[in-house]
Amino acid sequence: MDTVLQPMRLEYLTLREDLAARAGLLAARLEKKEYRPETILSMDQAGWPGDWEGRTILALVLLAQATKKEPAYLHKIVRAVLEGRNERGYLGHILPDGEADEQQLSGHSWLMRGLIAYYQYTGDESIRDAVVTIGRNLFLPVKVLYPSYPIKPEERVYGGGAAGNVAGMVGGWHISTDTGCAYIPLDGVSALYELTEDPEIGALLDVMIENFLKIDFIGIKAQTHATLTATRGILRTYTVTGKGEYLDAAKKLFALYVEHGMTANYANYNWFMRPEWTEPCAIIDSFIAAMQLYSATEERDYLTYAQRILYNGMGFGQRENGGFGCDCCLGAEGEPDNHILQVKIPEAYWCCSMRGGEGLSAVGRYAFLCDPENRMLTIPYMISGEAILGFTEEELCIRTETSYPYSGNYIFAVEEENLSEPVTVCVYLPDSAAKVVCTGAVYEQSGGMLYIELQPGCKGFTLTFDLPVTAETPVGAHSDKSRKGYFKGNMMLSIPAEETEQFPSPDDPRLVPLYDAYENGHAPRQVLFKV
C-alpha cells in the first residue's frame, strides 16, 4: 500500500481564531438540555437507539480535544448509557434470530464510534470491553443477513422526514426511510476492527462492503449521509488492510456523489435524486471523505472539493447558536428559486449539531498532513493555531496565523525544532491565487501547490497572494447551468435574495461569503446569477 498521509492528533493541536470560535460555540451548544445525562436516553422518538447518545459522546470527546475544554456532562452521559444497556450489552430491543433493525444498527455505529473515542480519551478498559460486546452481540449475528438487504426500488419507501423512521419490514430487515442506513455501520465496525484487529470483525466488514457495492444508489434513491458514512468506513478499512480495491471503490462512490448528490454550494441532496433539503451530517461526511481520499492519493482535486465543502456547505450550515441545520438544495433543476439559498430547518439538533463536533475537529486534524518517510508536510488549507508535528524521532513545533480564506496571508513560524534534514512544506493554493510571494525560505510553485524547503534552523516563512473574485459554473447534481456564482478563492459569495437576479459587479459591497452566515444571519441569499 502506498503511504497514507497522517492527519494531526488533536492533543498536539491548539486552535486559534475562526476555527476555535466555531468549535467553542458548538461545544457550548452541546451542553444544553438535549445533551445532558438525565435526558439523553429519552430524546430519541424515531426509533434510533444509540444514535443520539453515540453522536453526542463522539462530538464531546473530539471537541474536548480540539478546544482543550473538559465537557461538563461527558462522563455522566457515558455512565448513563452503560446503565441503560439491555442484557446483551446494547440499547433498544432484542430481535428474534434472523431479523435486523437497520436504524438500531446505524445508531449503534455512532455509539461504537463515540465509545471508542471515549476509550482512547480516558484509557478506561471497561469502555473497550463495552464496545467489543456491541460488536459481537449486535453486529456479528447479522452478518448472514447483509446479502439479503433490500436494494430493489420496489422494496423501499420514498417518504420520510428529516429524522427518518422505521417504514416496515422486508425479509428479515426492519427498513428505514433513510434508505441505506444499514451501511452506516461500516464506519463503526471499521473503527472496531482498527481497534481490535479481530478477524471475525474483519470478515464482517468484507461481507458488508461486498454487498454495499452492489447497490444501485441512484435507483433506490439512497440517503447520501448513509452512502458517504459508509464510504468513510471503506476508506478506514483500506488504511487498515491495504486492500486497493477498497480505495478504488471509495473513489467511485465519491465521484457518484459529486455528480448526483452535491448541490451548487457543495452541500448535499438528502437522498440521491431527491432535492428536498441538505443535511450537514452528509456535508461533514463529504469533507472528511475528500480529505481521506487526498491523504491516500495526493490528488489535488480532492483538496479543492474539501475547501469548497468547508467554506460553503459546512460554513452556511452552522447556525448562530453553534449548531447545524438544513437548507434548500441550491441549483437543483426544476426547483423554484433554485438560485437562492435559504434555510429549510433552523437546527437539526437531533443529529447534525452533534455531527458538527467531528466536522470541526476534523478540520483541525486534517489541517496538517505528515509524511514522515518522505519528510513532507502538506497544508491543505490554512488555519491559525499551534501544532507539534512528528517526523520519526524529530519534532517541529509551529505557530500559524492567517486571514485565509478571506485573503491570502499566512505566517508559518517555527517555535522549536530538532530537525536533522530539511522538511518540504507543500501548501495548496486556490486556482485563482495570483501574485504569490513567499519570504523566509526557498520555494517553487507547480500544479497549484507551493513547495517550500524548510531547512534545519529556519524560523519559518510568510506567504502572501491575491484572491480575485471570479465567476464560475458550480458543480453539483443537476445544477442549473444557465447560472454562475461568484467565488473568492474557494468561498462562494452572495447578496440579499431580493436585491437582483443580474450579475453584480465583482466589487459590489453587498457580496459576502456564505461562510460568514453563522455570524451575519441566515436570511435568504442569492448565490447563482443569470449568465
Side-chain angles (χ1 to χ4, degrees), residues 144-172:
V144 296
L145 295 178
Y146 269 99
S148 63
Y149 179 76
I151 61 173
K152 297 177 181 178
E154 61 269 21
E155 295 174 323
R156 305 307 308 198
V157 175
Y158 299 109
N165 58 271
V166 175
M169 191 166 178
V170 177

Side-chain angles (χ1 to χ4, degrees), residues 362-415:
V363 178
R365 287 186 65 237
Y366 285 103
F368 303 100
L369 299 171
C370 285
D371 177 358
E373 182 178 338
N374 295 306
R375 303 187 68 81
M376 176 85 73
L377 168 65
T378 298
I379 298 173
Y381 42 83
M382 302 166 200
I383 67 168
S384 296
E386 291 96 45
I388 303 173
L389 307 166
F391 292 90
T392 313
E393 297 182 357
E394 301 170 5
E395 285 186 348
L396 180 64
C397 303
I398 63 168
R399 173 180 52 83
T400 59
E401 295 179 16
T402 187
S403 58
Y404 192 80
Y406 301 96
S407 61
N409 296 286
Y410 186 60
I411 297 171
F412 182 102
V414 177
E415 302 288 296

Side-chain angles (χ1 to χ4, degrees), residues 336-462:
D337 297 324
N338 64 1
H339 59 297
I340 294 173
L341 183 57
Q342 49 194 323
V343 169
K344 276 291 189 82
I345 299 170
E347 185 189 6
Y349 58 87
W350 55 89
C351 60
C352 296
S353 290
M354 298 96 100
R355 287 297 297 138
E358 184 169 23
L360 293 177
S361 64
V363 178
R365 287 186 65 237
Y366 285 103
F368 303 100
L369 299 171
C370 285
D371 177 358
E373 182 178 338
N374 295 306
R375 303 187 68 81
M376 176 85 73
L377 168 65
T378 298
I379 298 173
Y381 42 83
M382 302 166 200
I383 67 168
S384 296
E386 291 96 45
I388 303 173
L389 307 166
F391 292 90
T392 313
E393 297 182 357
E394 301 170 5
E395 285 186 348
L396 180 64
C397 303
I398 63 168
R399 173 180 52 83
T400 59
E401 295 179 16
T402 187
S403 58
Y404 192 80
Y406 301 96
S407 61
N409 296 286
Y410 186 60
I411 297 171
F412 182 102
V414 177
E415 302 288 296
E416 188 178 343
E417 54 90 1
N418 61 349
L419 301 177
S420 60
E421 298 178 48
V423 168
T424 300
V425 181
C426 178
V427 183
Y428 169 95
L429 295 172
D431 291 341
S432 60
K435 299 179 182 178
V436 179
V437 176
C438 180
T439 58
V442 176
Y443 70 98
E444 65 177 39
Q445 188 174 345
S446 176
M449 308 293 282
L450 200 67
Y451 298 89
I452 302 164
E453 189 174 275
L454 201 67
Q455 294 282 352
C458 177
K459 297 302 181 183
F461 58 87
T462 298

Side-chain angles (χ1 to χ4, degrees), residues 207-224:
V207 169
M208 292 173 69
I209 295 172
E210 178 185 356
N211 288 281
F212 176 69
L213 296 178
K214 294 177 181 177
I215 294 175
D216 175 1
F217 300 95
I218 308 302
I220 68 167
K221 297 181 173 62
Q223 188 199 36
T224 53

Side-chain angles (χ1 to χ4, degrees), residues 96-231:
D97 291 345
E99 292 186 17
D101 178 344
E102 67 174 323
Q103 291 191 174
Q104 184 179 35
L105 295 174
S106 175
H108 278 77
S109 178
W110 297 117
L111 186 57
M112 287 200 297
R113 284 286 321 281
L115 292 177
I116 289 171
Y118 184 78
Y119 162 66
Q120 293 169 336
Y121 183 53
T122 64
D124 184 342
E125 288 294 330
S126 68
I127 303 300
R128 186 183 189 278
D129 294 341
V131 178
V132 170
T133 297
I134 294 171
R136 299 200 70 80
N137 290 354
L138 179 61
F139 284 97
L140 281 181
V142 300
K143 175 184 173 184
V144 296
L145 295 178
Y146 269 99
S148 63
Y149 179 76
I151 61 173
K152 297 177 181 178
E154 61 269 21
E155 295 174 323
R156 305 307 308 198
V157 175
Y158 299 109
N165 58 271
V166 175
M169 191 166 178
V170 177
W173 284 94
H174 299 260
I175 62 169
S176 173
T177 57
D178 281 0
T179 305
C181 70
Y183 290 95
I184 281 179
L186 279 171
D187 185 29
V189 174
S190 64
L192 178 60
Y193 183 62
E194 183 179 44
L195 178 70
T196 65
E197 297 185 353
D198 182 338
E200 287 189 86
I201 298 298
L204 170 62
L205 275 174
D206 288 337
V207 169
M208 292 173 69
I209 295 172
E210 178 185 356
N211 288 281
F212 176 69
L213 296 178
K214 294 177 181 177
I215 294 175
D216 175 1
F217 300 95
I218 308 302
I220 68 167
K221 297 181 173 62
Q223 188 199 36
T224 53
H225 172 34
T227 306
L228 289 164
T229 301
T231 301

